[in-house]
Amino acid sequence: MDDRDIADLRRMIEAARRVVVFTGAGISTESGIPDFRSPGGVWEQMKPIMFQDFLASAEARRESWRRRFAADARLRAAEPNRGHRAVARLVREGKVRAVITQNIDGLHQASGVPEAQVIELHGNTTYGACLDCAARYTIDELREDFERSGDVPECRRCGGLIKTATISFGQSMPEGPMLRAQEEVLAADLCLVLGSSLVVYPAAGFPELAKRIGAQLAIVNNQETGLDDIADLVIHRGIGDVLGGAVGVN
């Protein structure tokens, strides 16, 4: 590893008054969670289920839940890695006020980042929620119903459809998290991107906005990203080694 990368990133973080972190699938692949879009990723192996199909088709809903339960063992086995722990340290130290994430795995919270400081743009797959009243259900109780009857039941509170608390293709982005993310970006003087290809909008618009309003932009990702050409620092390496080295987390 080029130690200059780590030193440059450390200097940027230390000089910043307020850092906003933006994470994508690349930070969680180091915990054994496969990403979706890369060659060999999940969507090369199975077609995503559109939100409209989930609403309209009982069979689509059953297939969606079958996939979720099939992935459960891998999700439960995943633990926060060095990159997650490094982000958590920056949050504890007050350098980072918010973590904006495209990930749905809950690993930032598991690493010690308070839930109130994690802004989940694409939701969270570790629990289910009613699409009408937002009542929450554990994956375990939903799996029990599914294994018993072949279906996830309707919401016990209002009779609505229950879905993993994620944002599917065709589903509107969550207004609250989008507004919070914008506020955090506008307040930061450094946007630190970790493990995102920055090609999926509107999420990728947040690092772009940070640069446009005068904040510095640092990107750590194994592959090239859609914003490499405007970033102040680009490091094509593993997140755990680079950020862990920069903030002193093993």
Side-chain angles (χ1 to χ4, degrees):
M1 174 174 294
D2 187 344
D3 287 342
R4 288 175 298 179
D5 290 340
I6 294 176
D8 289 344
L9 183 59
R10 181 186 299 117
R11 281 192 291 270
M12 288 185 75
I13 292 171
E14 289 176 347
R17 173 184 53 83
R18 180 164 173 163
V19 181
V20 63
V21 170
F22 182 96
T23 65
I27 194 170
S28 289
T29 56
E30 296 182 25
S31 291
I33 295 180
D35 71 8
F36 291 88
R37 294 177 177 83
S38 297
V42 173
W43 287 337
E44 271 196 1
Q45 303 169 39
M46 61 181 71
K47 183 180 178 181
I49 295 172
M50 300 295 292
F51 183 58
Q52 294 81 353
D53 294 333
F54 183 93
L55 295 179
S57 166
E59 181 54 40
R61 291 193 289 275
R62 283 192 290 270
E63 175 60 14
S64 175
W65 280 108
R66 186 197 65 77
R67 293 181 185 182
R68 173 60 185 85
F69 298 136
D72 201 42
R74 173 174 279 169
L75 287 166
R76 289 177 186 267
E79 296 182 352
N81 61 55
R82 191 180 180 191
H84 291 110
R85 295 194 300 273
V87 171
R89 170 172 287 187
L90 291 173
V91 172
R92 286 196 305 274
E93 293 175 347
K95 180 68 73 169
V96 170
R97 305 288 183 88
V99 179
I100 304 168
T101 187
Q102 296 172 287
N103 297 339
I104 59 176
D105 50 45
L107 288 179
H108 284 301
Q109 294 92 320
S111 73
V113 179
E115 186 167 356
Q117 289 177 264
V118 181
I119 302 173
E120 294 175 317
L121 299 181
H122 296 160
N124 190 307
T125 194
T126 64
Y127 61 93
C130 174
L131 291 173
D132 291 333
C133 72
R136 287 175 64 151
Y137 295 86
T138 69
I139 294 299
D140 285 341
E141 64 183 313
L142 295 174
R143 188 199 297 104
E144 288 177 7
D145 288 326
F146 189 83
E147 291 175 349
R148 183 171 57 251
S149 67
D151 273 308
V152 164
E154 295 177 342
C155 176
R156 291 191 294 271
R157 179 188 295 174
C158 75
L161 295 177
I162 301 172
K163 179 181 173 293
T164 55
T166 54
I167 304 301
S168 300
F169 277 107
Q171 189 173 1
S172 298
M173 293 292 285
E175 183 177 350
M178 292 293 286
L179 289 173
R180 284 188 60 210
Q182 178 173 296
E183 291 171 357
E184 291 295 338
V185 166
L186 292 174
D189 57 353
L190 170 61
C191 180
L192 175 57
V193 175
L194 305 170
S196 176
S197 59
L198 298 177
V199 296
V200 179
Y201 285 81
F206 290 118
E208 197 170 42
L209 172 63
K211 182 64 179 175
R212 192 163 66 242
I213 64 170
Q216 287 198 300
L217 176 60
I219 299 172
V220 184
N221 193 55
N222 275 326
Q223 287 83 39
E224 294 181 357
T225 83
L227 297 183
D228 281 4
D229 58 341
I230 66 169
D232 299 281
L233 177 65
V234 177
I235 302 173
H236 291 151
R237 298 186 183 279
I239 296 162
D241 288 341
V242 172
L243 187 62
V247 305
V249 169
N250 293 322

